Amino acid sequence: MQVEEGHFYRSAGGDIWQAVSQSIVQFAANGDGDPDVIPFDVMPADKVNDVSGPLVEVRPMGWEEV
């Protein structure tokens, strides 16, 4: 799976991942709202896509003004 560096993606469980390269994502936020995030949890995008469900690109609100 190819992702776009710097973009954010949501897994089927609601977790948020940020692409750090075209094939690697870094965990950014828990889908259940738990603030306990494991920093630097970096995985291949293919593995996250297979294990956690399809990754779908998301855009935080307000980016258009930045």
Side-chain angles (χ1 to χ4, degrees):
M1 168 177 201
Q2 187 169 351
V3 291
E4 193 165 340
E5 188 174 336
H7 288 218
F8 290 88
Y9 296 83
R10 177 179 290 129
S11 68
D15 293 338
I16 303 297
W17 298 81
Q18 183 177 15
V20 295
S21 77
Q22 291 184 345
S23 60
I24 303 293
V25 291
Q26 176 175 304
F27 187 73
N30 288 308
D32 61 7
D34 184 355
D36 186 24
V37 174
I38 301 168
F40 308 112
D41 189 3
V42 178
M43 299 178 68
D46 285 336
K47 182 172 182 176
V48 174
N49 197 57
D50 292 344
V51 172
S52 299
L55 291 175
V56 177
E57 186 173 358
V58 294
R59 293 190 56 155
M61 294 177 62
W63 272 17
E64 291 76 17
E65 289 94 33
V66 175

